Amino acid sequence: MLYVYLVAAAVSIPVLDSFVNILHNENSWWTTPLLFIGIFLGLIILHFGVVLTSITLIRMDSDPDKFSGYIRKIISLTLPIFFKLARVRIDTSGLEKVPEDTRFLLVSNHLDNFDPAVILNVLPEAELGFVGKKEIYETMPIVARAMHKLHGLPIDRENNREAAKTIIKATQIIKEDKASIGIFPEGYVSKTGEILPMRNGAFKIAYKAKVPVVVCVIGGTAEIFKNMFRRRTNVYFDVVHTFSAEDLEEMSTQELGEKVTDLMKAAKAKREKEKSC
């Protein structure tokens, strides 16, 4: 979309010149590029203004299914623009392992609040709804409103009964073919970057919905905020393995958690080795 705005800004110059003499006056050597930059930035500002307005107008007590397609579309168009402007380079691998013909449970390690945005950016066709900590709904109202229209669910990590209700709701969303679900089974952001122990109850979503589990590992997102717009941030997102619904029948959630942990650690170690070479 960023390139569309660049082209639109370039095309608008000769169009404006047909009404106002822009290209053929003595100051055109500096007014033309300045006008181009102004139009381009104006389009970007307008784009983000429309997005923020659309999300701000979402009522948290509204039907979460209503207009979700529109919100999903504008977010899928906006995230690439944001990451490009923020100088975030995302390297991916294994995306072909993501099922295209069925819903699934996506599990990933968790490093930063930017993790879901990166995943939505690299998997725009997956129709993912994320399970996120309930604090997001209290401290990040814009994000909370967007999640509300993308089948996002708050989870109370300190209340097992409420957490179980979220698991049931996430299972229902998958079963009703509304969306796939993304979750961070560590439960908390890893401050050190190391893979934390899995909360195996999160995997019950896949068991109850009888869908594959897509195991992913993400890295570099903790650097995005402090590097934003100033220098490039290198982020990676790897789809490591997909356990089929049939695979899940042969193991418990604890066994699955152990395998997921091993896969994430191995993928992370591989990335770190490549970085040091």
Side-chain angles (χ1 to χ4, degrees):
M1 198 65 187
L2 194 65
Y3 298 108
V4 172
Y5 291 146
L6 283 169
V7 172
V11 170
S12 66
I13 299 297
V15 172
L16 288 173
D17 185 61
S18 64
F19 297 97
V20 182
N21 185 18
I22 298 173
L23 301 174
H24 302 93
N25 63 66
E26 59 182 13
N27 296 318
S28 63
W29 64 274
W30 67 270
T31 57
T32 300
L34 189 64
L35 184 61
F36 170 80
I37 293 172
I39 294 173
F40 173 68
L41 291 178
L43 290 172
I44 295 296
I45 292 171
L46 178 62
H47 178 104
F48 279 98
V50 170
V51 173
L52 287 174
T53 300
S54 298
I55 294 175
T56 302
L57 292 175
I58 293 172
R59 293 176 52 187
M60 295 300 289
D61 60 350
S62 64
D63 182 353
D65 295 327
K66 194 174 183 181
F67 302 122
S68 61
Y70 167 68
I71 296 298
R72 189 178 299 279
K73 185 64 177 178
I74 62 172
I75 288 178
S76 68
L77 291 173
T78 303
L79 287 175
I81 297 175
F82 169 77
F83 284 123
K84 192 74 175 178
L85 294 176
R87 302 183 65 186
V88 177
R89 179 182 179 273
I90 305 174
D91 184 43
T92 64
S93 71
L95 300 186
E96 71 282 355
K97 297 174 186 175
V98 178
E100 296 181 354
D101 56 351
T102 184
R103 298 298 184 188
F104 55 85
L105 176 70
L106 182 145
V107 298
S108 174
N109 61 315
H110 198 13
L111 301 175
D112 192 84
N113 288 332
F114 277 109
D115 293 346
V118 169
I119 296 172
L120 288 173
N121 184 60
V122 299
L123 298 174
E125 304 300 324
E127 295 186 346
L128 275 169
F130 280 90
V131 174
K133 58 186 180 182
K134 69 179 181 66
E135 289 81 3
I136 290 176
Y137 287 72
E138 300 167 357
T139 61
M140 305 172 70
I142 295 297
V143 174
R145 281 173 164 76
M147 286 181 64
H148 183 66
K149 287 302 184 181
L150 297 179
H151 300 295
L153 297 169
I155 188 167
D156 188 341
R157 298 169 296 182
E158 308 303 328
N159 187 320
N160 291 335
R161 178 174 294 182
E162 291 302 315
K165 291 180 181 179
T166 300
I167 297 298
I168 293 171
K169 179 61 177 177
T171 302
Q172 181 182 355
I173 288 173
I174 294 177
K175 281 186 172 182
E176 294 178 359
D177 198 27
K178 293 179 179 178
S180 295
I181 293 294
I183 196 167
F184 302 102
E186 294 165 296
Y188 292 87
V189 169
S190 174
K191 300 298 184 182
T192 64
E194 299 302 313
I195 306 298
L196 302 178
M198 300 289 129
R199 294 194 168 193
N200 298 324
F203 301 119
K204 290 181 180 180
I205 298 171
Y207 281 81
K208 293 177 181 295
K210 300 186 186 311
V211 294
V213 174
V214 179
V215 183
C216 309
V217 67
I218 196 167
T221 50
E223 306 297 317
I224 293 177
F225 184 75
K226 65 180 181 181
N227 290 345
M228 194 180 298
F229 309 120
R230 299 188 299 112
R231 57 178 178 267
R232 192 174 77 178
T233 303
N234 292 313
V235 171
Y236 67 81
F237 177 75
D238 300 327
V239 179
V240 182
H241 184 75
T242 296
F243 291 98
S244 68
E246 291 72 26
D247 292 334
L248 302 185
E249 295 176 358
E250 301 176 1
M251 67 182 91
S252 65
T253 55
Q254 181 177 344
E255 290 171 326
L256 177 61
E258 292 171 355
K259 291 186 178 183
V260 167
T261 300
D262 291 341
L263 285 167
M264 287 183 178
K265 287 183 175 180
K268 181 177 179 294
K270 181 181 177 182
R271 279 288 188 172
E272 291 177 349
K273 183 178 180 180
E274 290 174 352
K275 184 178 179 180
S276 63
C277 292

